């Protein structure tokens, strides 16, 4: 029997191992049982480190390539590139993929969803994904969830060899993109079950496959979250994740800058604007993330004195040690562009002959693209 919250196999022998539950509780609740870990996350807000390695993750999803299935890939709209699972195509075969761009409810109206879709299609081609369609949605606000399910059913009708054939739908995604929230929303819409999948801002609440019925003989299969180490979330604590993960509508913060000015995004990223005219920058990041402007001449000293206090995250020495090896990237910007920093969001940049230098932790993905605004 599996935990209804995370999918791990339940056991009553060893409290230190995943899936522990008191035998009396398991006997009483049966298939509606939560393991001790899920119970503590749901009721006490406790935080746990990820259990599955990415090698374990690939081993689990590798079975999909030998099935006839539909894949839902959940993508975080503020973390687009790092929401794509590296080498996913090798483990899902040629099964069709519906990409669900989640959390669109937090975007300001000046962001053009059509431009995001075009960017998603470009990334899908690079990642060898057999893309069926792209849907803009919000799991939390129940926006376009019906449209996603509609596309699943239409795709199944094309694939099925007979009316009796059942084709499963696997829900894949990196940690914290909103996979389990999506499935919980579907359960509320179509299922009588009172049990919900465990959700949290911490990474990897789902530990194994969870098969969730939502219509007659129809299932969604939740999967563990892949931890993408090109995104800041893989290195930060639950408390820092709470700062970086927007829960409500983003209010862009805009600056008119001169050359030789610097803006810090907490203590996680530094952007130096050392050439350019009429520089305008707007930050599409969590409202809780502190932005600090200073002269580039003073930036190094400012960071040394204020990291973990004014400039946070990081919030402690453990986090700082994980991200303290910074790299530098230089970009020349002549057109209106967006700079995505994985795990933070993006910066909209306009002006004339702009040259910037970006400092981030060495493994963090940075992408400069034509604007989606």
């Amino acid at each position: 029997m599996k935990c209804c919250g995370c999918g791990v196999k339940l056991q009553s022998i060893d409290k230190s191992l995943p899936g522990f539950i008191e035998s009396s509780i398991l006997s009483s609740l049966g298939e509606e049982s939560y393991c001790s870990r899920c119970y503590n996350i749901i009721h006490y807000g406790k935080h746990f480190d990820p259990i599955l390695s990415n090698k374990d993750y690939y081993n689990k999803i590798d079975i999909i390539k030998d099935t006839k299935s539909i894949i839902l890939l959940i993508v975080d709209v503020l973390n687009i590139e790092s929401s794509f699972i590296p080498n996913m195509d090798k483990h899902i075969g040629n099964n069709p993929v519906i990409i669900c761009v989640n959390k669109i409810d937090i975007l300001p109206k000046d962001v053009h969803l059509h431009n995001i879709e075009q960017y998603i299609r470009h990334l899908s081609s690079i990642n060898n994904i057999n893309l069926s369609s792209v849907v803009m949605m919000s799991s939390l606000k129940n926006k376009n969830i019906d449209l996603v399910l509609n596309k699943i059913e239409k795709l199944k009708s094309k694939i099925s060899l007979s009316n009796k054939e059942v084709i499963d739908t696997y829900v894949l995604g990196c940690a914290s993109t909103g996979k389990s929230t999506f499935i919980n929303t579907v359960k509320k819409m179509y299922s009588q079950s009172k049990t919900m999948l465990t959700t949290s801002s911490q990474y990897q609440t789902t530990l194994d496959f969870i098969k969730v019925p939502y219509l007659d003989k129809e299932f969604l299969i939740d999967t563990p979250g892949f931890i993408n180490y090109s995104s800041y979330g893989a290195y930060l604590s639950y408390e820092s994740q709470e700062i970086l993960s927007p829960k409500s509508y983003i209010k862009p913060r805009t600056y008119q800058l001169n050359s030789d000015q610097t803006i810090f995004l907490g203590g996680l990223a530094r952007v130096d604007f050392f050439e350019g005219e009429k520089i305008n920058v707007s930050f599409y990041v969590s409202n809780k993330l502190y932005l600090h402007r200073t002269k580039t001449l003073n930036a190094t000293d400012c960071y040394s004195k204020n990291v973990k206090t004014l400039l946070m995250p990081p919030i402690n020495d453990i986090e700082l040690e994980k991200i303290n090896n910074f790299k530098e990237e230089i970009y020349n910007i002549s057109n209106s562009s967006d700079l995505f920093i994985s795990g933070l969001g993006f910066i909209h940049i306009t002006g004339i002959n702009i040259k910037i230098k970006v400092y981030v932790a060495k493994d963090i993905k940075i992408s400069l693209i034509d604007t989606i605004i």
Side-chain angles (χ1 to χ4, degrees):
M1 193 177 298
K2 288 187 172 186
C3 170
C4 64
C6 70
V8 72
K9 187 176 180 180
L10 293 170
Q11 53 90 15
S12 301
I13 299 171
D14 191 337
K15 289 185 178 181
S16 66
L17 294 178
F20 179 79
I21 182 174
E22 295 289 351
S23 57
S24 58
I25 298 175
L26 181 59
S27 298
S28 174
L29 297 179
E31 292 184 355
E32 295 188 349
S33 298
Y34 288 97
C35 69
S36 175
R37 174 180 173 272
C38 282
Y39 188 87
N40 279 298
I41 291 172
I42 295 168
H43 295 284
Y44 300 109
K46 289 193 175 181
H47 316 133
F48 298 87
D49 292 332
I51 295 173
L52 292 175
S53 69
N54 284 343
K55 181 180 179 181
D56 294 333
Y57 174 84
Y58 284 130
N59 287 338
K60 284 184 180 297
I61 70 165
D62 202 50
I63 66 167
I64 299 174
K65 68 185 180 186
D66 297 321
T67 67
K68 184 174 287 189
S69 305
I70 294 170
I71 311 299
L72 292 188
L73 177 63
I74 310 296
V75 168
D76 185 334
V77 74
L78 285 186
N79 214 4
I80 294 174
E81 279 206 47
S82 289
S83 292
F84 280 77
I85 299 168
N87 301 311
M88 186 179 79
D89 59 305
K90 293 180 174 62
H91 302 276
I92 65 169
N94 198 43
N95 284 310
V97 178
I98 300 171
I99 293 184
C100 304
V101 185
N102 195 21
K103 308 179 185 179
I104 63 168
D105 55 294
I106 66 174
L107 291 178
K109 292 180 180 179
D110 59 354
V111 177
H112 294 150
L113 297 181
H114 173 73
N115 292 342
I116 294 178
E117 178 176 343
Q118 294 304 110
Y119 184 39
I120 292 285
R121 290 184 177 277
H122 169 69
L123 292 174
S124 298
S125 177
I126 292 173
N127 285 276
N128 299 314
I129 289 174
N130 180 17
L131 182 64
S132 172
S133 57
V134 179
V135 181
M136 303 291 164
M137 71 169 198
S138 169
S139 297
L140 198 61
K141 300 295 184 181
N142 195 357
K143 183 176 179 63
N144 287 344
I145 303 299
D146 274 333
L147 179 59
V148 174
L149 300 179
N150 217 340
K151 287 186 177 293
I152 292 172
E153 296 313 306
K154 287 183 178 179
L155 199 49
K156 283 185 177 182
S157 66
K158 291 181 181 178
I159 299 171
S160 294
L161 299 176
S162 71
N163 292 332
K164 295 180 180 180
E165 187 173 11
V166 176
I167 298 171
D168 287 326
T169 302
Y170 288 88
V171 184
L172 272 60
C174 291
S176 294
T177 54
K179 296 181 294 80
S180 297
T181 302
F182 166 76
I183 292 180
N184 281 342
T185 300
V186 174
K187 286 187 74 173
K188 289 175 185 176
M189 293 166 63
Y190 293 100
S191 174
Q192 299 298 316
S193 174
K194 294 181 180 180
T195 61
M196 292 289 139
L197 303 183
T198 304
T199 61
S200 170
S201 292
Q202 66 181 284
Y203 264 27
Q204 212 177 64
T205 48
T206 304
L207 298 180
D208 206 341
F209 290 175
I210 308 176
K211 200 167 187 177
V212 179
Y214 69 98
L215 288 173
D216 183 37
K217 295 184 179 180
E218 301 289 347
F219 294 90
L220 295 173
I221 302 176
D222 195 15
T223 62
F226 179 84
I227 298 179
N228 197 328
Y229 289 96
S230 70
S231 177
Y232 267 117
Y235 304 94
L236 301 176
S237 65
Y238 172 83
E239 289 80 9
S240 288
Q241 278 290 89
E242 283 290 285
I243 295 172
L244 298 181
S245 302
K247 298 295 190 297
S248 58
Y249 184 80
I250 288 175
K251 298 175 183 177
R253 284 168 276 177
T254 300
Y255 299 83
Q256 287 77 45
L257 301 176
N258 299 315
S259 56
D260 298 321
Q261 288 192 307
T262 291
I263 294 186
F264 286 98
L265 291 82
L268 299 175
R270 165 183 163 180
V271 186
D272 294 348
F273 296 82
F274 58 93
E275 287 183 18
E277 301 173 30
K278 298 182 179 179
I279 303 170
N280 283 274
V281 293
S282 296
F283 289 79
Y284 291 75
V285 297
S286 169
N287 300 330
K288 294 180 181 180
L289 179 61
Y290 177 66
L291 304 180
H292 183 74
R293 177 165 61 174
T294 187
K295 292 181 179 179
T296 302
L297 182 66
N298 301 327
T300 300
D301 189 49
C302 176
Y303 179 82
S304 298
K305 290 180 178 178
N306 295 296
V307 67
K308 299 183 299 178
T309 53
L310 182 67
L311 303 178
M312 56 182 287
I315 61 173
N316 55 44
D317 289 331
I318 296 173
E319 287 188 346
L320 181 59
E321 184 177 354
K322 290 180 180 178
I323 64 160
N324 206 26
N325 190 1
F326 279 77
K327 66 180 179 182
E328 304 172 12
E329 300 281 354
I330 295 176
Y331 298 95
N332 294 294
I333 300 172
S334 55
N335 301 314
S336 180
S337 302
D338 295 333
L339 182 78
F340 278 81
I341 302 176
S342 292
L344 300 185
F346 69 94
I347 308 167
H348 178 62
I349 304 171
T350 63
I352 301 171
N353 298 325
I354 299 172
K355 194 170 186 178
I356 65 173
K357 183 184 289 185
V358 184
Y359 300 78
V360 295
K362 68 179 180 68
D363 292 323
I364 300 304
K365 177 74 174 177
I366 315 171
S367 304
L368 184 70
I369 68 170
D370 291 338
T371 185
I372 59 174
I373 304 297

